Amino acid sequence: VPDPQAIQALAGMVADARRPVLIVGNGMQNPRGRKLVALLAEKFGVAVATSYNAKGVVDETSEIAVGMLGTWGMKSANAAVESADTLIVVGASLGADYIKFRDPGFIKPGVQRIVQIDVDPRNAGWVYPVDLAICADGGDAIEALLAHDLGAERRLDRLAWIAEVHSAHPVFDAPTRAAPGTVHNADVIKALDAFLTPDDMLTLDAGTNRIWATTTLKVRTPGQLVVPGGIGGMGWGAPAAAAVKLVHPEKNVVCLTGDGGFAMTMNVMATCVQEQLPITVVVANNGGLGMVRDNLKDRRIAVDFSPTDFAQIARGMGCRGVNATTPEQLAAALEEARGSNIPTVIDVAVDPDSSHVDVSDY
């Protein structure tokens, strides 16, 4: 049970804050938690930044959402956290990847007021010293906070500040060019953005394709995104999509993966045929380990693949296999897969020069 005195103290801190930010983690990635976070944030104009595992805990197109923070997060989220006067960390471990590996200019103890709410007492103050630690379920703590005035008179000013952050740090939308017969990673994300509805679930894998998704895809439906924890996770996306389909048979389940990740576990497609799990796997095929290749720069070591047609391999397993070399073909293939009763693999030819560095916030 949240300590009433601690909740009272936190309420006073939030009420006084001009630029409060909720940093929400995986502990709130559940139906009750998502609802309560959105309710508090919208009622009092508190910005919501999320960890990687909590991406999409609120509608990322809403006026209170600043997106996922961190090294491979959205610049709007990072800017909001850096300029906040009060940080309320809820159900978040403050893992290295989403706090920019403790960049000293990011989260600033002693300059910003920091509160951490966690059900595990070991987490509060573990990474950063905090001004207030509350050991409680995050949902219970937020529910208790809602009984207090958290600065309702500041709501419009806070929302104006969040809008300024978005204006200064828009989602990457510069003109993109791809080599003939290929598409840019931005085109893949735009196709998914246009395609996804509340009836869809999306799983991610690892690599360049995932970085483009975490930095530029705004998840509109809370709880729609299912991701592997930590920094790695290669090969996780397609098996996870099969599992999501088993848990949510009423949903249309899509996986975004790279050719490297899909090659590691593509045998799951045979299982999907056997178990009648009509998932859709979008393979961003850039002919290699894109993220590693980009980081190696001119010294490439075992990161380029020979041409591989994953659509043809999928057909050999009994799936639908579709090749896409234009954004229009990808959009059409996604729509066709939605109505299919067998699994679909869409092999999208992605320009190898479409780099994660273009959108990463190093």
Side-chain angles (χ1 to χ4, degrees):
V1 176
D3 181 89
Q5 290 183 327
I7 292 296
Q8 180 72 46
L10 174 53
M13 293 170 67
V14 179
D16 291 339
R18 295 183 178 277
R19 300 182 303 278
V21 174
L22 276 167
I23 297 180
V24 181
N26 196 43
M28 300 301 287
Q29 189 65 286
N30 55 74
R32 179 182 179 231
R34 291 191 285 263
K35 181 179 179 181
L36 288 169
V37 168
L39 182 60
L40 183 146
E42 290 167 1
K43 183 175 182 180
F44 298 105
V46 179
V48 177
T50 74
S51 70
Y52 162 56
N53 284 286
K55 180 175 171 64
V57 75
V58 296
D59 177 356
E60 292 189 306
T61 65
S62 65
E63 61 183 354
I64 46 88
V66 292
M68 173 189 143
L69 63 132
T71 306
W72 298 284
M74 293 179 170
K75 292 179 175 65
S76 54
N78 292 338
V81 169
E82 288 176 9
S83 58
D85 57 13
T86 303
L87 299 174
I88 307 101
V89 183
V90 187
S93 65
L94 298 180
D97 56 325
Y98 69 87
I99 58 170
K100 300 179 70 175
F101 298 94
R102 292 190 66 182
D103 181 327
F106 191 45
I107 294 176
K108 301 174 284 295
V111 177
Q112 298 167 311
R113 289 178 296 181
I114 304 174
V115 178
Q116 193 163 4
I117 303 168
D118 204 284
V119 72
D120 188 336
R122 295 173 297 178
N123 285 339
W126 188 3
V127 180
Y128 289 104
V130 298
D131 297 282
L132 177 64
I134 300 177
C135 181
D137 174 83
D140 291 346
I142 290 183
E143 200 166 61
L145 275 175
L146 284 166
H148 298 266
D149 179 8
L150 305 182
E153 76 284 354
R154 297 184 186 272
R155 181 178 183 274
L156 293 181
D157 289 339
R158 291 168 175 175
L159 292 177
W161 167 66
I162 297 171
E164 288 174 5
V165 169
H166 280 295
S167 179
H169 303 279
V171 170
F172 183 89
D173 197 26
T176 56
R177 294 181 180 178
T182 68
V183 301
H184 196 280
N185 273 302
D187 297 322
V188 176
I189 301 305
K190 288 175 182 177
L192 287 171
D193 181 57
F195 173 78
L196 293 171
T197 73
D199 294 326
D200 300 299
M201 298 285 286
L202 176 66
T203 69
L204 300 182
D205 202 79
T208 296
N209 59 92
R210 188 180 83 180
I211 292 174
W212 276 86
T214 57
T215 53
T216 64
L217 178 65
K218 290 191 173 184
V219 177
R220 294 182 175 84
T221 304
Q224 179 176 63
L225 186 66
V226 182
V227 298
I231 300 173
M234 280 188 67
W236 189 90
V244 170
K245 188 64 178 177
L246 285 168
V247 176
H248 298 285
E250 77 285 1
K251 297 286 188 179
N252 179 58
V253 182
V254 180
C255 165
L256 173 62
T257 183
D259 46 339
F262 188 59
M264 294 173 72
T265 55
M266 60 185 171
N267 54 302
V268 74
M269 301 311 296
T271 302
C272 289
V273 171
Q274 289 177 314
E275 300 300 323
Q276 299 180 352
L277 303 173
I279 66 172
T280 301
V281 177
V282 177
V283 183
N285 190 345
N286 61 1
L289 300 177
M291 179 180 174
V292 181
R293 181 169 57 197
D294 291 343
N295 290 337
L296 290 175
K297 299 178 181 177
D298 294 332
R299 190 169 180 264
R300 296 186 179 184
I301 304 172
V303 289
D304 295 301
F305 300 159
S306 59
T308 304
D309 187 340
F310 291 100
Q312 184 172 332
I313 294 172
R315 289 192 289 270
M317 292 184 182
C319 303
R320 293 178 69 250
V322 183
N323 296 93
T325 58
T326 68
E328 294 77 17
Q329 289 176 352
L330 172 57
L334 283 167
E335 289 295 345
E336 290 169 7
R338 189 194 289 281
S340 177
N341 59 2
I342 60 173
T344 298
V345 173
I346 306 172
D347 184 313
V348 186
V350 172
D351 188 345
D353 290 332
S354 173
S355 171
H356 74 282
V357 176
D358 295 336
V359 288
S360 296
D361 190 12
Y362 292 123

